[in-house]
C-alpha cells in the first residue's frame, strides 16, 4: 500500500516473479479481511488520507500477517514507534530491491504459525476474536451453536467429523440431546444461511459425517 503509483509498479515488477502481488493506493479501498488473504503487507507511512502508523495502531489486533513499513521516515524515534505498534520490519526509502526481496522471503519463511484471529477459506471468513462468520463483507447471522460448528470445521478442513464427534465438541460427554438429530438439524440451518450467498461450504461424507469444503 502506497500512494506513489510508480513505486507500487516498481515493487510489483520486482516481486511478481516469486509472489502474487496486489497493490493499493490507499487504505480506504481495502478491508481487513482482504488484507488477511495475503501472506505479508508492505505499508507506506506517509499517505494523504490516513497514515500507516495510525492505521496499524488501530488495526494491528485484526491483521494476522507480518507488516513491513516502507518509508522515508528514518529517525530512530520513527522506527521505535513503528515497531511499538506492531510492525515486523522497517525499510527506509530509498531502498535496495534485492534487500526488500530477501526480507520478504525471510518473513514468509518464518510464517508457519496457525492464524490465531481469523481463517478464510474461499469467500468465507471466520473471525475468532468477535466469534462471527462472514461471506466476503456480509456477516452471517448465526446462533452460538451454529458458529461453533462452523469454526470447528473450518479449523480442521482436512478432517471429517461424525455427528457424535461434533456433538461432543459442542456439549461435552454429558450432553443430554440426540446427537444424530441435533447436529443434522443444525447443519441444515447453516446450509440455508450460506445458500442465500450461493455458498455450499459443508460437505456431507456419506456414512461418516461432515467436512468443510476446502476447494469452494
Amino acid at each position: 500500500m502506497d500512494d506513489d503509483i510508480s513505486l507500487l509498479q516498481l515493487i510489483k515488477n520486482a516481486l511478481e516473479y516469486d509472489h502474487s502481488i496486489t497493490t493499493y493506493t490507499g487504505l480506504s479501498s481495502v478491508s481487513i479481511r482482504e488484507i488477511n488473504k495475503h501472506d505479508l503487507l508492505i505499508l507506506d507511512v506517509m499517505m494523504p488520507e490516513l497514515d500507516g502508523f495510525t492505521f496499524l495502531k488501530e488495526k494491528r489486533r485484526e491483521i494476522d500477517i507480518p507488516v513491513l513499513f516502507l518509508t522515508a521516515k528514518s529517525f530512530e524515534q520513527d522506527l521505535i514507534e513503528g515497531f511499538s505498534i506492531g510492525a515486523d520490519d522497517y525499510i527506509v526509502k530509498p531502498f535496495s530491491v534485492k534487500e526488500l526481496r530477501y526480507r520478504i522471503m525471510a518473513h514468509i519463511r518464518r510464517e508457519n504459525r496457525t492464524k490465531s484471529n481469523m481463517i478464510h477459506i474461499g469467500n468465507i471468513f471466520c473471525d475468532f476474536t468477535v466469534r462471527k462468520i462472514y461471506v466476503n463483507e456480509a456477516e452471517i447471522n448465526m446462533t452460538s451453536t451454529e458458529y461453533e460448528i462452523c469454526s470447528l470445521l473450518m479449523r480442521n478442513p482436512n478432517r471429517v467429523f461424525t455427528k457424535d464427534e461434533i456433538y461432543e465438541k459442542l456439549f461435552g460427554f454429558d450432553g443430554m440431546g440426540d446427537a444424530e438429530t441435533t447436529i443434522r438439524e443444525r447443519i441444515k440451518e447453516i446450509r440455508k444461511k450460506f445458500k442465500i450467498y450461493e455458498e455450499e461450504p459443508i460437505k456431507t461424507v456419506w456414512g461418516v459425517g461432515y467436512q468443510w469444503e476446502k476447494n469452494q
Side-chain angles (χ1 to χ4, degrees), residues 24-216:
Y24 299 94
T25 56
L27 292 163
S28 62
S29 61
V30 59
S31 69
I32 298 300
R33 284 184 288 281
E34 181 67 25
I35 289 172
N36 281 326
K37 287 182 178 181
H38 299 81
D39 296 311
L40 182 141
L41 170 63
I42 301 172
L43 181 61
D44 185 27
V45 174
M46 303 295 287
M47 288 188 284
E49 56 181 18
L50 180 66
D51 70 89
F53 281 166
T54 301
F55 173 76
L56 190 63
K57 187 175 182 179
E58 294 175 353
K59 301 295 185 181
R60 190 51 172 129
R61 198 172 76 113
E62 302 171 52
I63 298 174
D64 206 25
I65 59 175
V67 177
L68 189 157
F69 274 126
L70 186 63
T71 179
K73 294 169 72 73
S74 59
F75 292 110
E76 181 181 29
Q77 186 56 43
D78 295 322
L79 274 65
I80 291 171
E81 182 179 356
F83 285 121
S84 69
I85 60 177
D88 295 277
D89 209 341
Y90 204 115
I91 291 186
V92 177
K93 302 174 184 175
F95 59 91
S96 158
V97 169
K98 185 174 182 180
E99 178 188 1
L100 176 64
R101 182 184 295 118
Y102 277 95
R103 282 182 186 249
I104 289 170
M105 289 170 59
H107 283 291
I108 292 177
R109 198 163 50 237
R110 286 196 294 267
E111 274 300 291
N112 294 320
R113 61 184 178 173
T114 300
K115 299 301 182 183
S116 57
N117 295 331
M118 185 177 292
I119 288 177
H120 72 87
I121 301 177
N123 295 323
I124 300 173
F125 299 79
C126 180
D127 188 329
F128 302 120
T129 303
V130 294
R131 293 173 56 83
K132 291 181 179 180
I133 306 288
Y134 302 85
V135 175
N136 292 319
E137 296 298 308
E139 179 186 343
I140 307 299
N141 184 22
M142 290 191 170
T143 67
S144 176
T145 301
E146 290 166 356
Y147 166 81
E148 292 293 348
I149 292 172
C150 288
S151 64
L152 172 66
L153 297 180
M154 288 187 77
R155 287 179 190 268
N156 302 275
N158 296 313
R159 178 177 169 184
V160 179
F161 287 88
T162 66
K163 296 183 184 71
D164 286 336
E165 286 175 322
I166 297 173
Y167 188 86
E168 180 186 313
K169 294 283 187 183
L170 267 59
F171 303 107
F173 289 106
D174 299 325
M176 302 297 290
D178 178 351
E180 177 82 18
T181 303
T182 299
I183 300 307
R184 184 178 64 246
E185 291 304 311
R186 295 293 188 278
I187 295 290
K188 185 186 297 183
E189 290 302 312
I190 292 170
R191 283 174 167 160
K192 284 181 184 177
K193 293 177 180 181
F194 279 118
K195 192 171 183 179
I196 295 171
Y197 299 93
E198 300 182 344
E199 297 284 350
E200 297 180 7
I202 298 180
K203 175 183 177 183
T204 298
V205 180
W206 295 105
V208 184
Y210 300 104
Q211 179 182 30
W212 196 269
E213 183 61 60
K214 301 183 293 297
N215 301 312
Q216 296 179 68

